[in-house]
Amino acid sequence: MLNEAIPFEPAQDLPALAASGALGGNVALFRQARGPDLLRRASALEGWCALREQHGVWPYGRSLEGAPAPLSMVGGEGTPASRGINFASQDYLSLSSHTAVLEAAMAALAACGPHSAGSAVLLGNSPYTNALEAALGELLRCRHVVLFPTGWGAAFGAVTALVHGADHVLIDALAHASLRQGATSATRNVTAFRHLDCDHVRELLASIRAVDAQGAILVLTEGLFSMDADSPDLPLLQYLCHEYGATLLVDVAHDLGALGPGGGGIIGAQGMLGKIDLVMGAFSKTFASNGGFVACNSPSVRRQLQMFAGPHMFSNALSPVQAATVLACLKIVTSPEGETLRAALMRNAVELRALLGAAGMRCIGAPSPIVPLWTGPEAACRIAGMLLGREGVFVNSMEFPGVPLGASRLRLQLMAQHTPGQIRRAAPLLAAAVRTAFDAMTPSAATVDQPGGAAPER
Ligand SMILES: Cc1ncc(COP(=O)(O)O)c(C=O)c1O
């Protein structure tokens, strides 16, 4: 019975953990370290991290042994690796171990070596990057694709290349740090709109246009929000942008390839392929590599990015191995095999959410490769993540700056290759960990240390 808590053997040490102080505090308290000595002024942060590490509630900097797989060997900072069910890797269609992908990567390595020997603007391109641009453009129904060495660089580069100080950016309050940092680097006129709230976008567009007919407006959102597993109404957002002479950019890092008919992501699922002004994405989730892109139908945007997007111009291009890997993934994504893999992934998502829901857990968002299991106060997330690691279930514990303060969650990332047996084994352990964490929390640990309403910074 899932509703019955499974007691964890090692939970006797929880009172000591609660008394240690390792469950209190958050990164935001240390963000603005003061003092002239840059090499030492983060010592309070270092002390707080060390305390958490000492008490087993420091979930960062872990390493994976071998390729990402549903069963993986995972080690912590300074702790030996152990084997468990892996919900912490973003290899949604399990393509990083696909034979065709590995063969393509090895063939590119043999043909071109491991090096990307220049910026894409100079001599960094290869036949693989050229073919990748064409294949991605076909999937997205966009005539122009500009590649970047990382998804982060694609987002930051696109926003900073296109937006000037006299322009405006409207950004979903929960959008990724790469977009947020791009926006604040480009202009002071940045306004966050309420998450997914198109009425708020309309209000803000109208108020900007009432006083500024000349400045450009860029609206930033994501296809599938990486911490919340939800999606905006893209046809409405794009309509509003047209109405007010604004431009829409959608970050499809988490949904392209993993969702939608033909792998077209949320844009495809909402019938908007070829109709979104700017599509930006990353290869680091479904496409078994690093890298990113911006796709559009405007030749002048392509040129503007080529000449002014710093991470495109001033960073070496995707290597031939990376481009060949992504290209091989793209072939699978758009094939009937891609549909089969997406169906397996979705089956896992629906099953895991149903089992957790039946156990009284709260999963936010909609079925997708990302299942955010709500924990709220940071202390609950830390305890639950620690207990799960001991039980051989690896998850990512998300707290500020990845998510707002007091809105922590365990982010479970699914793969097509997770088996129904692994999902059924993990669900009661997940539920029991969260329940045990809430039972163990002292009233003070259950409250949020507020440093002044810090927003997420992921
Ligand atoms: C929504 C979103 N956009 C952009 C990125 C950056 O992508 P990458 O890690 O490939 O640089 C990420 C990765 O975390 C992401 O989640």
Side-chain angles (χ1 to χ4, degrees):
M1 273 288 289
L2 288 177
N3 289 2
E4 286 168 19
I6 297 177
F8 286 108
E9 280 309 322
Q12 293 92 329
D13 58 0
L14 291 184
L17 171 61
S20 70
L23 297 178
N26 55 66
V27 179
L29 298 168
F30 303 97
R31 188 164 53 172
Q32 303 284 349
R34 300 247 181 259
D37 187 346
L38 280 177
L39 298 182
R40 291 198 173 75
R41 73 183 190 186
S43 59
L45 170 65
E46 168 57 17
W48 177 72
C49 297
L51 178 71
R52 287 185 59 180
E53 208 171 25
Q54 188 191 334
H55 290 276
V57 286
W58 180 251
Y60 308 117
R62 291 179 296 175
S63 41
L64 186 66
E65 291 188 3
L71 273 182
S72 289
M73 290 289 289
V74 173
E77 275 184 4
T79 54
S82 60
R83 191 172 164 81
I85 303 175
N86 178 8
F87 292 118
S89 291
Q90 24 201 30
D91 183 20
Y92 298 147
L93 294 190
S94 299
L95 294 181
S96 69
S97 51
H98 194 289
T99 313
V101 174
L102 297 177
E103 282 173 2
M106 286 189 276
L109 181 63
C112 303
H115 196 191
S116 145
S119 151
V121 177
L122 300 176
L123 194 51
N125 291 323
S126 64
Y128 304 103
T129 54
N130 297 338
L132 176 56
E133 285 172 4
L136 206 49
E138 203 173 309
L139 171 59
L140 292 166
R141 296 190 204 155
C142 289
R143 285 191 296 282
H144 306 286
V145 172
V146 180
L147 298 176
F148 288 77
T150 65
W152 198 96
F156 186 87
V159 179
T160 50
L162 297 175
V163 173
H164 302 161
D167 297 330
H168 306 261
V169 174
L170 299 182
I171 180 167
D172 187 289
L174 299 184
H176 193 260
S178 49
L179 295 169
R180 182 193 304 269
Q181 290 179 25
T184 52
S185 299
T187 175
R188 290 172 165 214
N189 306 321
V190 179
T191 309
F193 59 86
R194 287 187 295 273
H195 182 50
L196 305 183
D197 188 339
C198 289
D199 289 337
H200 197 199
V201 174
R202 187 197 303 266
E203 250 174 59
L204 292 167
L205 286 171
S207 65
I208 292 170
R209 279 295 174 238
V211 293
D212 184 359
Q214 294 308 316
I217 309 174
L218 182 61
V219 177
L220 301 173
T221 190
E222 294 180 25
L224 175 70
F225 278 82
S226 61
M227 301 288 169
D228 301 84
D230 52 11
S231 301
D233 180 339
L234 293 176
L236 181 52
L237 270 183
Q238 185 62 79
Y239 168 80
L240 290 173
C241 287
H242 286 160
E243 277 285 291
Y244 289 93
T247 301
L248 178 63
L249 183 151
V250 181
D251 177 346
V252 297
H254 287 271
D255 52 299
L256 188 72
L259 295 175
I266 296 295
I267 293 181
Q270 296 192 7
M272 292 296 285
L273 285 171
K275 297 179 190 161
I276 300 289
D277 294 325
L278 300 167
V279 182
M280 171 255 128
F283 302 133
S284 52
K285 324 304 174 194
T286 297
F287 298 92
S289 184
N290 284 356
F293 69 89
V294 177
C296 61
N297 279 311
S298 157
S300 59
V301 163
R302 171 175 172 256
R303 284 290 176 219
Q304 182 84 2
L305 295 181
Q306 202 180 29
M307 292 294 108
F308 295 105
H312 177 78
M313 179 176 251
F314 295 111
S315 192
N316 268 22
L318 280 184
S319 72
V321 172
Q322 289 174 314
T325 300
V326 178
L327 196 53
C329 290
L330 205 49
K331 277 196 192 121
I332 299 166
V333 156
T334 52
S335 73
E337 187 184 356
E339 297 300 351
T340 308
L341 292 170
R342 279 187 290 280
L345 177 65
M346 194 50 95
R347 174 206 66 206
N348 287 337
V350 168
E351 172 84 353
L352 183 58
R353 294 176 73 97
L355 290 170
L356 291 172
M361 297 293 111
R362 180 178 170 214
C363 295
I364 59 173
S368 79
I370 299 163
V371 179
L373 172 55
W374 188 260
T375 46
E378 285 74 15
C381 192
R382 290 174 202 168
I383 297 172
M386 177 191 75
L387 293 172
L388 285 163
R390 290 177 180 176
E391 292 295 314
V393 179
F394 301 118
V395 300
N396 282 318
S397 303
M398 293 299 181
E399 56 178 88
F400 184 89
V403 295
L405 290 170
S408 74
R409 65 208 67 175
L410 302 175
R411 182 170 72 167
L412 316 170
Q413 285 174 293
L414 295 169
M415 303 179 211
Q417 276 178 2
H418 277 118
T419 63
Q422 287 162 346
I423 301 289
R424 283 198 295 271
R425 170 162 163 65
L429 291 168
L430 287 158
V434 172
R435 205 175 285 114
T436 305
F438 274 106
D439 290 347
M441 277 198 312
T442 58
S444 65
T447 61
V448 180
D449 298 297
Q450 286 285 358
E457 272 190 354
R458 64 174 176 267

